[in-house]
Amino acid sequence: MGISRNLSIFLLVLAGFVQTASDAANKGIYKVVDSNGVPCIVVQADIYLYLTYTTSDSEKDVVVHVPTSSKADTAVSSCHTTINTAGMSIDAQLLRINLDHMEGWIIDFAFTKDSRFKTENGKEYAMFQVNVTANYASDKKTFPDAKYPTQNYYLHLDPNDLSDIGGSIFADVGNSYYCPSEQKYAINDNDKYGPMAYIKFKLTTLQAYMSSSTFGPKTTCPTDQSSTDLLPIIVGSALAGLIVLTLVVYLIYRTFLPEEVLNLVNPDSHFDSDSAEGHSNDNESVLERF
Ligand SMILES: *[C@@H]1O[C@H](CO)[C@@H](O)[C@H](O)[C@H]1NC(C)=O
């Protein structure tokens, strides 16, 4: 299994290089609108799923690219709903994506302002749960030997331990979450809650609890903030360079000063003809000068 996982990672990296050029336009757009036609959730992202499924005698890892032509399921998605999970009842907004040309393949994304998810209640929202339904039976060539025709993957919520996704994908209400770089998160990495599943987002801009049809100001994820952090580094280096330049110019200038001027300021700082004759070892005269 280790080898096949390594191989699939290698192939994915390879595919990544080939794809980079075409990525700019390559993302899905998913919208949930309220009864007035105003969007409450908009997600733009290129999404990959990393799923493990049970075969007749072992397990198999697969990478599934969510077709960018996929659409939000308007019948199930909702601007006001309650998610009951792990003994909690959570006010939420729900986006369901039906994978295009992949019958029975579903991803559910749930957002909340509930303060149990380390959001400042009412001020911030977070993506708190991601569930995936994989219909392996729909494509037996791509997913051979699946023991179960469909497999559910879900993010188990632990109120005492914020998930990777919950701790990463959040923003102030009114703001969008912006993260163009690749981010991979666990949906489930614990055997206790079923087979493993991970999700990777690329070129992400998303917002929930929206009240207009355009994205609010961007909250940039930490990874993509590093490019703006270059500015202080450049300014700092320029200042350091100026200091060195000033010093060099001063030292050059100094060598052109007549000896008397230098001795006036600091007689010890210059190898004058006296020291060459050995007078510099005269400790008494050094002391006298001070
Ligand atoms: C995800 O799946 C869990 C377990 O089946 C369920 O309790 C929860 O309500 C689901 N959440 C969403 C957002 O669909």
Side-chain angles (χ1 to χ4, degrees):
M1 198 172 95
I3 289 172
S4 75
R5 183 169 286 169
N6 282 342
L7 188 70
S8 56
I9 288 169
F10 169 74
L11 286 177
L12 203 86
V13 168
L14 201 70
F17 281 117
V18 177
Q19 276 184 358
T20 310
S22 65
D23 260 348
N26 195 10
K27 59 183 170 187
I29 300 177
Y30 313 104
K31 260 185 211 181
V32 183
V33 298
D34 66 16
S35 49
N36 302 320
V38 179
C40 61
I41 307 176
V42 177
V43 172
Q44 294 185 357
D46 192 21
I47 303 171
Y48 292 79
L49 299 171
Y50 297 73
L51 308 173
T52 302
Y53 69 83
T54 314
T55 60
S56 53
D57 56 352
S58 73
E59 289 179 322
K60 198 170 171 356
D61 298 327
V62 286
V63 183
V64 175
H65 180 227
V66 176
T68 53
S69 52
S70 302
K71 288 277 168 283
D73 183 328
T74 49
V76 178
S77 300
S78 169
C79 295
H80 304 281
T81 186
T82 306
I83 304 290
N84 293 305
T85 188
M88 291 183 273
S89 178
I90 303 154
D91 278 343
Q93 294 192 333
L94 179 69
L95 163 65
R96 169 169 290 187
I97 298 174
N98 292 324
L99 274 62
D100 200 19
H101 302 305
M102 297 179 71
E103 189 60 39
W105 283 74
I106 293 164
I107 312 177
D108 285 329
F109 295 97
F111 298 86
T112 190
K113 297 196 278 191
D114 193 311
S115 56
R116 281 174 289 184
F117 301 94
K118 303 265 189 318
T119 59
E120 274 188 62
N121 207 358
K123 269 196 68 196
E124 288 177 327
Y125 64 88
M127 182 187 283
F128 72 96
Q129 197 168 39
V130 177
N131 290 357
V132 174
T133 302
N135 181 4
Y136 295 118
S138 68
D139 186 350
K140 293 200 168 88
K141 263 201 208 117
T142 314
F143 310 107
D145 197 24
K147 188 171 176 188
Y148 310 107
T150 61
Q151 183 82 64
N152 291 308
Y153 302 87
Y154 72 102
L155 195 159
H156 174 78
L157 292 181
D158 179 348
N160 301 312
D161 188 12
L162 200 60
S163 70
D164 254 10
I165 290 181
S168 304
I169 304 183
F170 65 93
D172 282 355
V173 171
N175 286 13
S176 55
Y177 168 87
Y178 174 70
C179 197
S181 64
E182 290 187 10
Q183 304 292 330
K184 192 174 171 186
Y185 303 105
I187 295 172
N188 177 41
D189 56 5
N190 187 338
D191 281 332
K192 237 164 73 184
Y193 306 115
M196 305 296 159
Y198 297 82
I199 188 165
K200 185 173 83 183
F201 296 97
K202 266 162 80 175
L203 307 168
T204 308
T205 311
L206 65 80
Q207 189 170 349
Y209 294 92
M210 293 174 88
S211 49
S212 79
S213 55
T214 50
F215 283 128
K218 287 173 180 172
T219 299
T220 306
C221 62
T223 317
D224 289 300
Q225 278 170 12
S226 54
S227 53
T228 44
D229 286 349
L230 270 180
L231 192 71
I233 294 171
I234 291 167
V235 171
S237 310
L239 286 175
L242 269 176
I243 290 170
V244 170
L245 190 73
T246 312
L247 201 70
V248 167
V249 167
Y250 166 71
L251 288 173
I252 291 170
Y253 161 78
R254 201 174 176 283
T255 59
F256 288 107
L257 288 179
E259 214 167 86
E260 305 87 70
V261 177
L262 289 174
N263 282 334
L264 213 65
V265 182
N266 182 0
D268 274 340
S269 67
H270 201 259
F271 293 101
D272 54 32
S273 43
D274 283 354
S275 55
E277 283 160 21
H279 286 265
S280 62
N281 288 333
D282 190 339
N283 285 338
E284 249 173 65
S285 67
V286 169
L287 287 172
E288 267 168 25
R289 284 173 193 141
F290 292 98

